Amino acid sequence: MSTPIAGVGMTKFGEMPDRTGRDLFAEAGETAIGDAAIDREEIDALYVGNFMGELSERQGHMGPLMAKMLGLDVPATRVESACASGGMAVRQGLQAIRAGSADVVLVGGVERMHNMGTTGATGGLSVAADDLWEIKHGITFPGAYALMAKRYFAAHGGDREDLAEVAVKNHANAANNPLAQYQSEISVEKVLDAFPVADPLGLFDASPITDGAAAAVLVSEEYAAEHDLDAAVAVAGTGQGTDDLALQHRDSLTWTPATADAAKEAYTDAGIEAEDVDFLEVHDCFTIAEVLALEGLGLYEPGEAITAAREGETTADGELPVNLSGGLKAKGHPVGATGVAQITEMTKLFRGDHVNSDAVEDAEIGLTHNAGGTVASAVVHVLEVAQ
């Protein structure tokens, strides 16, 4: 069952400490509604992805707040799943339409982070880890992903230069993206010479602190047909997976079962195989995370994705372009909005109104992968050119 994407909207991602979450979400939502060219009275429900509003703005209960900002009188729900909150909001909207309880759903995500400062944002993000086994012992996400990277190198090979190639690729993709946080290219040497964050990861191996919002209007096939909506892109499959929260409780630090489970469900739901995917937006919160995602999604065997960027396989002109938006690494990572931003960017890539659309002009199937924490949560969506 395909679900047409009638419209999308996204703010610029970056440092906007003077803007509020409600302001950012209203901009993205209004843009999506305008792009869909529908009357807002047609919207049946709202799902908002947000992770740490209570910490950054002392603001929970965002469903009704964001509905009010958009002039909507509909059931409104906040969805939280750490950095996968946005993707999970999309999934909830899809399920509402598939269940027949809604024909038009606005899904979105928002996060305000810069006003917390680096220390505050790092502390806020840390609550996505296990407090008893990780947070109390000083583990932060750069440290956790550094452990995963070290274990990957030990088990499969690879080195810091391989990871640097991931960062270089994604910055190149973001260079001309007007909504990206970083619009400049970098070199492998710059990545390798950067300030160390947690060995073997340096400053350019990590996604930035980001403010921003994104939104999309999803509709049922029946509604699209009845209203003659020209939706060029549709969601064909969705899947979700879960893993142990703490790294120490997992069987492996180099395999992400949540991603694998979410991908398997999404592929089955869409009626495709992994090899049918033409391009992807994956959760590259750290460079090693992109490598793990490609393997968990079944696109590379374990130990093989580490050289994909270096060998040009996942670049814009490669066989399998990954993160043409710039990814979390360069587009930015306002955590509650990221999963929805992947949908908005991929929709524009398919439609031809994205700066990098030429890289996928013949593509038919795309995939988005959004993860929470050290991939304790994952959600995968398969997008396709609407029939």
Side-chain angles (χ1 to χ4, degrees):
M1 177 187 296
S2 292
T3 304
I5 301 171
V8 295
M10 179 175 150
T11 68
K12 187 181 187 314
F13 281 8
E15 184 174 352
M16 295 172 280
D18 297 329
R19 295 191 67 180
T20 63
R22 67 185 74 190
D23 173 38
L24 291 165
F25 189 83
E27 178 186 336
E30 290 287 357
T31 303
I33 294 170
D35 189 45
I38 64 169
D39 192 309
R40 72 190 64 233
E41 276 69 36
E42 296 289 300
I43 297 173
D44 299 314
L46 169 67
Y47 293 92
V48 180
N50 176 264
F51 174 43
M52 54 183 182
E54 292 91 344
L55 300 176
S56 66
E57 298 189 281
R58 293 183 56 80
Q59 184 62 68
H61 207 185
M62 286 194 177
L65 173 63
M66 300 310 177
K68 179 66 175 178
M69 291 299 298
L70 291 170
L72 301 177
D73 182 18
V74 298
T77 306
R78 174 188 174 188
V79 180
E80 187 281 310
S81 189
C83 303
S85 298
M88 296 298 181
V90 174
R91 181 169 163 84
Q92 292 300 308
L94 288 168
Q95 291 177 328
I97 290 173
R98 289 180 170 196
S101 62
D103 279 312
V104 183
V105 175
L106 180 65
V107 296
V110 62
E111 210 73 63
R112 185 184 179 203
M113 302 172 68
H114 266 103
N115 62 306
M116 302 175 73
T118 301
T119 300
T122 301
L125 290 167
S126 73
V127 302
D130 189 310
D131 181 65
L132 180 62
W133 296 103
E134 296 176 322
I135 301 173
K136 283 186 177 2
H137 302 282
I139 287 288
T140 61
F141 282 110
Y145 275 94
L147 290 172
M148 297 165 84
K150 280 189 169 184
R151 183 57 191 156
Y152 188 99
F153 291 164
H156 301 301
D159 55 32
R160 288 191 62 219
E161 187 168 341
D162 290 314
L163 295 182
E165 293 281 3
V166 175
V168 169
K169 168 182 69 70
N170 292 347
H171 273 262
N173 289 340
N176 294 315
N177 183 350
L179 299 181
Q181 184 164 354
Y182 296 132
Q183 297 170 31
S184 59
E185 297 190 28
I186 58 175
S187 65
V188 169
E189 292 71 27
K190 185 170 185 175
V191 178
L192 297 178
D193 291 342
F195 182 82
V197 175
D199 184 55
L201 305 178
L203 182 64
F204 288 102
D205 287 292
S207 58
I209 295 170
T210 311
D211 306 319
V217 177
L218 308 177
V219 300
S220 67
E221 289 182 308
E222 294 77 12
Y223 181 92
E226 290 172 5
H227 293 78
D228 197 27
L229 289 184
D230 183 21
V233 187
V235 182
T238 180
Q240 180 177 343
T242 303
D243 197 5
D244 286 312
L245 191 59
L247 287 178
Q248 75 173 60
H249 295 144
R250 300 184 190 176
D251 293 333
S252 170
L253 297 187
T254 63
W255 178 249
T256 52
T259 293
D261 291 346
K264 181 179 179 180
E265 182 183 0
Y267 294 151
T268 300
D269 192 32
I272 67 165
E273 303 290 339
E275 54 266 28
D276 296 323
V277 175
D278 295 313
F279 69 111
L280 308 87
E281 289 287 321
V282 304
H283 197 94
D284 61 323
C285 51
F286 296 90
T287 49
I288 186 62
E290 178 169 312
V291 175
L292 299 177
L294 292 174
E295 294 178 4
L297 292 167
L299 297 161
Y300 286 83
E301 291 297 319
E304 293 186 356
I306 187 67
T307 59
R310 184 203 287 262
E311 295 177 0
E313 296 168 2
T314 54
T315 57
D317 58 355
E319 293 183 5
L320 186 68
V322 176
N323 286 333
L324 287 168
S325 69
L328 287 60
K329 176 67 204 68
K331 179 181 86 275
H333 183 30
V335 293
T338 287
V340 189
Q342 292 176 329
I343 298 291
T344 66
E345 292 284 87
M346 183 164 284
T347 297
K348 291 189 289 184
L349 283 161
F350 264 125
R351 293 191 318 198
D353 54 341
H354 191 283
V355 66
N356 290 324
S357 287
D358 287 349
V360 289
E361 60 182 352
D362 297 322
E364 295 182 354
I365 296 175
L367 180 146
T368 67
H369 162 262
N370 189 200
T374 46
V375 203
S377 297
V379 58
V380 170
H381 292 112
V382 175
L383 275 64
E384 65 179 8
V385 176
Q387 302 302 315

